[in-house]
Protein backbone atom coordinates (compact mmCIF):
# COMPACT_ATOMS: atom_id res chain seq x y z
CA UNK A 1 0.00 0.00 0.00
CA UNK A 2 2.90 2.34 0.74
CA UNK A 3 4.26 1.80 -2.79
CA UNK A 4 0.89 2.67 -4.36
CA UNK A 5 0.39 5.81 -2.24
CA UNK A 6 3.98 6.94 -2.78
CA UNK A 7 3.70 6.51 -6.54
CA UNK A 8 0.35 8.30 -6.67
CA UNK A 9 1.54 11.26 -4.60
CA UNK A 10 4.85 11.69 -6.37
CA UNK A 11 3.48 11.35 -9.91
CA UNK A 12 0.54 13.66 -9.18
CA UNK A 13 2.90 16.33 -7.83
CA UNK A 14 5.25 15.97 -10.81
CA UNK A 15 2.53 15.96 -13.49
CA UNK A 16 0.27 18.81 -12.38
CA UNK A 17 2.63 21.53 -13.63
CA UNK A 18 4.00 19.37 -16.47
CA UNK A 19 3.48 19.21 -20.22
CA UNK A 20 1.15 16.22 -19.76
CA UNK A 21 -1.61 18.42 -18.37
CA UNK A 22 -1.05 21.08 -21.03
CA UNK A 23 -0.90 18.57 -23.90
CA UNK A 24 -4.10 16.86 -22.73
CA UNK A 25 -5.85 20.20 -22.33
CA UNK A 26 -4.75 21.25 -25.81
CA UNK A 27 -5.93 17.97 -27.33
CA UNK A 28 -9.32 18.42 -25.66
CA UNK A 29 -9.70 21.84 -27.24
CA UNK A 30 -8.96 20.22 -30.61
CA UNK A 31 -11.03 17.04 -30.30
CA UNK A 32 -14.07 15.89 -28.36
CA UNK A 33 -13.37 15.18 -24.69
CA UNK A 34 -14.27 11.49 -24.48
CA UNK A 35 -11.94 10.19 -27.25
CA UNK A 36 -9.09 12.32 -25.89
CA UNK A 37 -9.59 10.88 -22.41
CA UNK A 38 -9.67 7.33 -23.80
CA UNK A 39 -6.52 7.92 -25.87
CA UNK A 40 -4.46 9.53 -23.11
CA UNK A 41 -5.64 6.96 -20.55
CA UNK A 42 -4.49 4.16 -22.85
CA UNK A 43 -1.12 5.91 -23.34
CA UNK A 44 -0.73 6.31 -19.59
CA UNK A 45 -1.61 2.66 -19.00
CA UNK A 46 1.06 1.51 -21.44
CA UNK A 47 3.67 3.97 -20.16
CA UNK A 48 3.00 3.10 -16.50
CA UNK A 49 3.27 -0.60 -17.29
CA UNK A 50 6.52 -0.08 -19.17
CA UNK A 51 8.02 2.04 -16.40
CA UNK A 52 6.95 -0.34 -13.66
CA UNK A 53 8.05 -3.44 -15.55
CA UNK A 54 11.47 -2.26 -16.56
CA UNK A 55 12.16 -0.15 -13.48
CA UNK A 56 15.54 1.48 -13.61
CA UNK A 57 16.34 -0.04 -17.04
CA UNK A 58 14.44 2.85 -18.65
CA UNK A 59 17.10 5.20 -17.41
CA UNK A 60 19.58 3.38 -19.64
CA UNK A 61 17.87 4.45 -22.88
CA UNK A 62 19.90 7.06 -24.74
CA UNK A 63 18.58 10.38 -23.44
CA UNK A 64 19.36 12.18 -26.69
CA UNK A 65 17.24 9.72 -28.69
CA UNK A 66 14.29 10.04 -26.31
CA UNK A 67 14.53 13.84 -26.36
CA UNK A 68 14.76 13.95 -30.16
CA UNK A 69 11.65 11.78 -30.55
CA UNK A 70 9.70 13.95 -28.11
CA UNK A 71 10.83 17.12 -29.92
CA UNK A 72 9.80 15.63 -33.26
CA UNK A 73 6.35 14.59 -32.05
CA UNK A 74 5.66 18.02 -30.56
CA UNK A 75 7.04 19.65 -33.72
CA UNK A 76 4.66 17.64 -35.90
CA UNK A 77 1.78 18.49 -33.59
CA UNK A 78 2.69 22.18 -33.70
CA UNK A 79 2.82 22.16 -37.50
CA UNK A 80 -0.58 20.47 -37.80
CA UNK A 81 -2.25 22.77 -35.27
CA UNK A 82 -0.76 25.95 -36.69
CA UNK A 83 -1.58 24.94 -40.26
CA UNK A 84 -5.19 24.38 -39.31
CA UNK A 85 -5.34 27.39 -36.99
CA UNK A 86 -4.22 29.77 -39.74
CA UNK A 87 -6.21 28.15 -42.56
CA UNK A 88 -9.33 29.94 -43.86
CA UNK A 89 -12.46 29.27 -41.78
CA UNK A 90 -14.76 26.50 -42.97
CA UNK A 91 -18.53 26.64 -42.78
CA UNK A 92 -18.72 29.74 -40.62
CA UNK A 93 -15.75 28.83 -38.44
CA UNK A 94 -17.13 25.64 -36.92
CA UNK A 95 -14.90 23.47 -34.83
CA UNK A 96 -12.42 21.74 -37.12
CA UNK A 97 -12.89 18.44 -35.30
CA UNK A 98 -16.57 18.38 -36.24
CA UNK A 99 -16.59 19.81 -39.75
CA UNK A 100 -14.75 19.82 -43.04
CA UNK A 101 -13.90 17.00 -45.41
CA UNK A 102 -12.07 14.90 -42.82
CA UNK A 103 -14.02 14.99 -39.54
CA UNK A 104 -12.20 13.69 -36.52
CA UNK A 105 -13.74 10.35 -35.73
CA UNK A 106 -13.63 8.85 -32.26
CA UNK A 107 -10.87 6.49 -33.34
CA UNK A 108 -8.78 9.21 -35.03
CA UNK A 109 -9.11 11.51 -32.01
CA UNK A 110 -8.25 8.72 -29.56
CA UNK A 111 -5.27 7.51 -31.62
CA UNK A 112 -3.91 11.03 -32.04
CA UNK A 113 -4.24 11.62 -28.30
CA UNK A 114 -2.59 8.28 -27.58
CA UNK A 115 0.32 9.03 -29.91
CA UNK A 116 1.01 12.52 -28.57
CA UNK A 117 0.94 11.50 -24.90
CA UNK A 118 2.72 8.20 -25.47
CA UNK A 119 5.64 10.03 -27.10
CA UNK A 120 5.58 12.88 -24.60
CA UNK A 121 5.86 10.54 -21.62
CA UNK A 122 9.11 8.87 -22.75
CA UNK A 123 11.81 9.97 -20.37
CA UNK A 124 9.33 12.20 -18.52
CA UNK A 125 9.76 12.81 -14.80
CA UNK A 126 6.72 10.66 -13.98
CA UNK A 127 8.10 7.72 -15.95
CA UNK A 128 11.48 8.02 -14.29
CA UNK A 129 9.81 8.39 -10.87
CA UNK A 130 7.76 5.25 -11.52
CA UNK A 131 10.86 3.32 -12.55
CA UNK A 132 12.77 4.55 -9.51
CA UNK A 133 9.95 3.71 -7.09
CA UNK A 134 9.67 0.25 -8.62
CA UNK A 135 13.35 -0.34 -8.01
CA UNK A 136 13.01 0.97 -4.45
CA UNK A 137 9.86 -0.87 -3.38
CA UNK A 138 10.20 -3.97 -5.56
CA UNK A 139 6.44 -3.92 -6.21
CA UNK A 140 5.87 -3.06 -9.88
CA UNK A 141 2.10 -3.62 -9.75
CA UNK A 142 1.43 -1.24 -6.86
CA UNK A 143 3.82 1.42 -8.17
CA UNK A 144 2.45 1.13 -11.71
CA UNK A 145 -1.14 1.35 -10.47
CA UNK A 146 -0.40 4.39 -8.30
CA UNK A 147 1.36 6.10 -11.18
CA UNK A 148 -1.46 5.28 -13.61
CA UNK A 149 -4.19 6.57 -11.27
CA UNK A 150 -2.28 9.84 -10.75
CA UNK A 151 -1.85 10.31 -14.50
CA UNK A 152 -5.54 9.61 -15.14
CA UNK A 153 -6.47 12.15 -12.44
CA UNK A 154 -4.34 14.80 -14.17
CA UNK A 155 -5.83 13.84 -17.56
CA UNK A 156 -9.36 14.04 -16.17
CA UNK A 157 -8.69 17.53 -14.85
CA UNK A 158 -7.20 18.64 -18.17
CA UNK A 159 -10.08 17.17 -20.19
CA UNK A 160 -12.63 18.87 -17.93
CA UNK A 161 -10.91 22.26 -18.25
CA UNK A 162 -10.37 21.81 -21.99
CA UNK A 163 -14.02 20.96 -22.61
CA UNK A 164 -15.12 24.09 -20.72
CA UNK A 165 -12.65 26.36 -22.52
CA UNK A 166 -13.49 24.87 -25.91
CA UNK A 167 -17.11 26.02 -25.81
CA UNK A 168 -16.14 29.62 -24.98
CA UNK A 169 -13.24 30.32 -27.30
CA UNK A 170 -13.04 30.35 -31.08
CA UNK A 171 -11.53 27.05 -32.37
CA UNK A 172 -9.03 28.84 -34.64
CA UNK A 173 -7.65 30.80 -31.68
CA UNK A 174 -7.35 27.60 -29.62
CA UNK A 175 -5.53 25.85 -32.46
CA UNK A 176 -3.10 28.74 -32.85
CA UNK A 177 -2.33 28.92 -29.13
CA UNK A 178 -2.03 25.13 -28.97
CA UNK A 179 0.30 25.12 -31.97
CA UNK A 180 2.59 27.68 -30.35
CA UNK A 181 2.53 25.74 -27.05
CA UNK A 182 3.49 22.53 -28.88
CA UNK A 183 6.22 24.42 -30.77
CA UNK A 184 7.53 25.67 -27.44
CA UNK A 185 7.67 22.11 -26.08
CA UNK A 186 9.50 21.03 -29.22
CA UNK A 187 12.05 23.85 -28.93
CA UNK A 188 12.53 23.12 -25.22
CA UNK A 189 13.25 19.47 -26.02
CA UNK A 190 15.69 20.48 -28.78
CA UNK A 191 17.42 22.87 -26.36
CA UNK A 192 17.91 19.94 -23.98
CA UNK A 193 19.74 18.11 -26.77
CA UNK A 194 22.23 20.98 -27.01
CA UNK A 195 23.11 20.71 -23.34
Amino acid sequence: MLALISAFGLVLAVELPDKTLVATLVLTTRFRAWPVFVGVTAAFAVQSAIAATFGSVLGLLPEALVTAIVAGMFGIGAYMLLREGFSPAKDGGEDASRSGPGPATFLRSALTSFGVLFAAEWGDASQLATASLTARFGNPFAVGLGSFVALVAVAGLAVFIGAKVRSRIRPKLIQRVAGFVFAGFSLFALAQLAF
Side-chain angles (χ1 to χ4, degrees), residues 160-178:
F160 176 76
I161 293 169
K164 295 295 182 189
V165 170
R166 177 183 185 180
S167 65
R168 293 187 171 90
I169 298 177
R170 294 179 307 130
K172 292 289 183 186
L173 177 61
I174 292 169
Q175 290 163 350
R176 290 173 188 171
V177 170

Side-chain angles (χ1 to χ4, degrees), residues 80-99:
M80 292 171 58
L81 286 165
L82 289 171
R83 183 186 67 190
E84 193 163 328
F86 285 103
S87 69
K90 301 174 188 175
D91 300 327
E94 286 182 39
D95 188 336
S97 66
R98 294 184 189 150
S99 66

Side-chain angles (χ1 to χ4, degrees), residues 11-184:
V11 170
L12 188 67
V14 165
E15 288 300 320
L16 277 175
D18 194 48
K19 66 185 177 291
T20 301
L21 182 125
V22 175
T24 304
L25 190 141
V26 166
L27 286 163
T28 304
T29 62
R30 171 71 175 88
F31 301 113
R32 292 184 314 263
W34 182 241
V36 169
F37 187 71
V38 168
V40 299
T41 299
F44 293 149
V46 173
Q47 286 289 13
S48 294
I50 289 169
T53 301
F54 293 108
S56 60
V57 174
L58 288 175
L60 301 176
L61 290 175
E63 187 176 335
L65 176 63
V66 171
T67 303
I69 291 170
V70 169
M73 289 299 291
F74 275 117
I76 291 167
Y79 168 76
M80 292 171 58
L81 286 165
L82 289 171
R83 183 186 67 190
E84 193 163 328
F86 285 103
S87 69
K90 301 174 188 175
D91 300 327
E94 286 182 39
D95 188 336
S97 66
R98 294 184 189 150
S99 66
T105 63
F106 182 95
L107 183 61
R108 179 176 161 222
S109 301
L111 288 176
T112 300
S113 300
F114 176 89
V116 167
L117 269 294
F118 183 78
E121 284 299 301
W122 280 106
D124 193 58
S126 63
Q127 189 182 50
L128 298 175
T130 302
S132 298
L133 287 172
T134 298
R136 179 172 180 232
F137 287 109
N139 190 341
F141 179 76
V143 171
L145 181 61
S147 175
F148 173 70
V149 171
L151 288 166
V152 170
V154 170
L157 177 64
V159 166
F160 176 76
I161 293 169
K164 295 295 182 189
V165 170
R166 177 183 185 180
S167 65
R168 293 187 171 90
I169 298 177
R170 294 179 307 130
K172 292 289 183 186
L173 177 61
I174 292 169
Q175 290 163 350
R176 290 173 188 171
V177 170
F180 286 119
V181 168
F182 273 42

